């Protein structure tokens, strides 16, 4: 995922506005706990990405986020001992001991997974729709080193991913 300037309102907005928009969506994902509202936040982020013509990049991030959200659900259901409604009884497991999967733990794990999904796609929207050079200029007055570090990290991750794909292609050719 690399930032590319496009002719959309989100790309045309200043970095402060783009950061504020994405931060508002991420804050909503952090504060809300109803599944319908978390799904609405995720849908709003995906719709904003579609309107900003970065839908394909957000769909790739969403595929990763969906897998991570499912992992959060499974781990929470296995580890959490709270809840009364047992839906699956595993019995005695070597490391975990008596393991019962409860409906309450599964639902809470699904909420945490949905929240993780919404936050990951918010981060992906920030990466592909907000100009990192403008963010550097925005934070230059506050702390140049921190702004430079954040901008380099934003720029280097896509470059490192592209280099790793090229390295993998070269290894396959040997």
């Amino acid at each position: 995922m690399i930032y590319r300037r496009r002719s959309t309102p989100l790309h045309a907005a200043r970095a402060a506005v783009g950061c504020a928009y994405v931060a508002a969506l991420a804050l909503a994902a952090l504060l809300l706990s109803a599944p319908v509202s978390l799904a609405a936040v995720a849908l709003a982020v995906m719709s904003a990405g579609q309107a900003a013509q970065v839908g394909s990049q957000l769909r790739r991030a969403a595929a990763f986020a969906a897998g991570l959200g499912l992992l959060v659900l499974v781990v929470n259901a296995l580890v959490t001992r709270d809840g009364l409604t047992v839906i699956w009884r595993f019995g005695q497991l070597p490391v975990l001991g008596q393991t019962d999967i409860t409906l309450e733990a599964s639902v809470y794990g699904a909420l945490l997974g949905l929240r993780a999904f919404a936050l990951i796609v918010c981060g992906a929207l920030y990466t592909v729709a907000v100009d990192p050079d403008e963010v550097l200029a925005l934070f230059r007055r506050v702390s140049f080193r921190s702004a430079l570090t954040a901008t380099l990290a934003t720029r280097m991750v896509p470059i490192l991913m592209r280099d790793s794909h090229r390295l993998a292609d070269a290894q396959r050719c040997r």
Side-chain angles (χ1 to χ4, degrees), residues 42-68:
L43 183 65
V45 173
M46 295 301 285
S47 298
Q50 200 65 28
Q53 299 173 356
V54 292
S56 63
Q57 293 171 326
L58 278 186
R59 279 191 292 278
R60 278 188 285 149
F64 169 76
L68 185 67

Side-chain angles (χ1 to χ4, degrees), residues 19-148:
C19 288
Y21 180 69
V22 174
L25 290 171
L27 187 65
L30 287 172
L31 293 177
L32 299 173
S33 61
V36 174
S37 58
L38 284 173
V41 169
L43 183 65
V45 173
M46 295 301 285
S47 298
Q50 200 65 28
Q53 299 173 356
V54 292
S56 63
Q57 293 171 326
L58 278 186
R59 279 191 292 278
R60 278 188 285 149
F64 169 76
L68 185 67
L70 188 62
L71 180 68
V72 167
L73 182 143
V74 169
V75 167
N76 193 65
L78 283 174
V79 173
T80 302
R81 304 275 187 219
D82 298 333
L84 299 174
T85 312
V86 177
I87 57 175
W88 189 277
R89 221 176 262 277
F90 275 112
Q92 196 73 14
L93 292 178
V95 175
L96 298 174
Q98 177 65 30
T99 304
D100 296 331
I101 295 181
T102 62
L103 180 65
E104 293 85 358
S106 300
V107 168
Y108 189 68
L111 283 174
L112 288 176
L114 187 57
R115 180 171 287 140
F117 177 85
L119 289 171
I120 289 171
V121 292
C122 278
L125 181 64
Y126 168 78
T127 301
V128 296
V130 179
D131 188 6
D133 293 331
E134 286 185 27
V135 174
L136 174 64
L138 182 67
F139 289 109
R140 185 179 305 152
R141 290 183 216 120
V142 178
S143 174
F144 180 74
R145 290 186 192 136
S146 298
L148 183 62

